[in-house]
Amino acid sequence: MKRLFLSISLLVLSKFSAQSWATEDQYIQKFAKYAVEEMEKYKIPASITLAQGLLETGGGQSRLALEGKNHFGIKCKEDWTGKTMKHTDDAPNECFRVYEDPRQSYEDHSIFLSTRKYYANLFKLDMKDYRAWATGLKKAGYATNPRYASILITKIEKYKLYEYDNTNSNEVLYAVLKMYPDLKDDRTFMAQLEPSKAGRKVKEPVTVEVPYKQTSYAQQQKRVERIKTKAEILNSILIKSHPNDGLKYVVIPEDTDIKFIANKFKVSESRLMKWNELDNETLKKNDIVFLESKNSTGNTATYKAESGEDMHDIAQKFGIKLNKLYAKNRMDEGQQPSAGQLIYLIDKKPRN
């Protein structure tokens, strides 16, 4: 019986030790690079992301982090289709998201902040003003603890996390080494610096599916490279903030479909189709896709339609619901503007 207990204990310990962090300092050493990568992609201060990770996971020791690789306590919500786990937080047995890798949790946290309207004002702040970001998060309702902002600020200043706001994904490991010089004796950590020494940025591998076609090896290799390049371009899509009240949107860099965008930004296909008034799933290069519902008015009074533009093009360009745009201009749905026609975006077109 004792042997059985010992075997089970060793299995449990090996499961958790594989996470390879035990203190807040070790957590920072392991995840600072993820925070900086997210800062580059989504313009969220690395110091804020790291401080939130430290707080939410208890320095990496929370059940959600160890078992679900969920570092920010993000709950399932109605649009989550991935794995889940039950955990008692504000209420018993609440549903939380489970990730394959902590990096997915970090990106999901970025998407969570950058695609919700009540956090829009955060992205108007100076990215290096961690105090304003901490205060803004609390003001936007991110946490119920009245001391949330001060707790984040304390962690940032205790561990000098603001230093990571001044680096980039190529140099972040050197910033970590500067903060923790004893890591020079850590072979695993130092091995990560080798690509940087050669001046190369470590890229995430891109998995691509190449449809079989009987052809020469050289031609097939060209097809692989072409498809791989397209996959890399699509994976580099960044969320933008629209002038119309900070609506979150993306510009499609290569032909793809709505499913790809839905999976990348964790938004259901049906919502994207509805918000963008799409009648099919195909997306073309340079299409604008909103990640939230558009507004009922524009941010400028009028616009002159260009040759070849339809009402949907204009609705997407200015972040306006298509039915509202038709109503403002006293046009029937399906009717299209002529080149040079004045389109009203805020007020209703005056009667003749």
Side-chain angles (χ1 to χ4, degrees), residues 279-290:
D279 53 16
N280 66 72
E281 298 182 354
T282 302
L283 296 174
K284 297 293 185 182
K285 183 177 180 179
N286 294 325
D287 278 353
I288 293 172
V289 176
F290 285 89

Side-chain angles (χ1 to χ4, degrees), residues 25 27-33 35-37 39-40 44-48 50-51 127-128 156 159-169 171-180 183 189:
D25 288 303
Y27 184 94
I28 295 164
Q29 293 164 17
K30 186 172 180 66
F31 296 110
K33 60 183 179 182
V36 171
E37 287 171 0
M39 177 176 67
E40 290 183 337
I44 300 168
S47 59
I48 287 291
L50 271 177
M127 201 168 65
K128 294 184 180 180
I156 290 170
Y159 294 108
K160 299 182 180 178
L161 302 182
Y162 47 76
E163 294 289 348
Y164 303 110
D165 295 338
N166 298 306
T167 188
N168 58 60
S169 55
E171 304 294 331
V172 59
L173 293 180
Y174 290 104
V176 172
L177 184 60
K178 181 180 178 182
M179 298 294 293
Y180 300 98
L183 285 173
F189 178 84

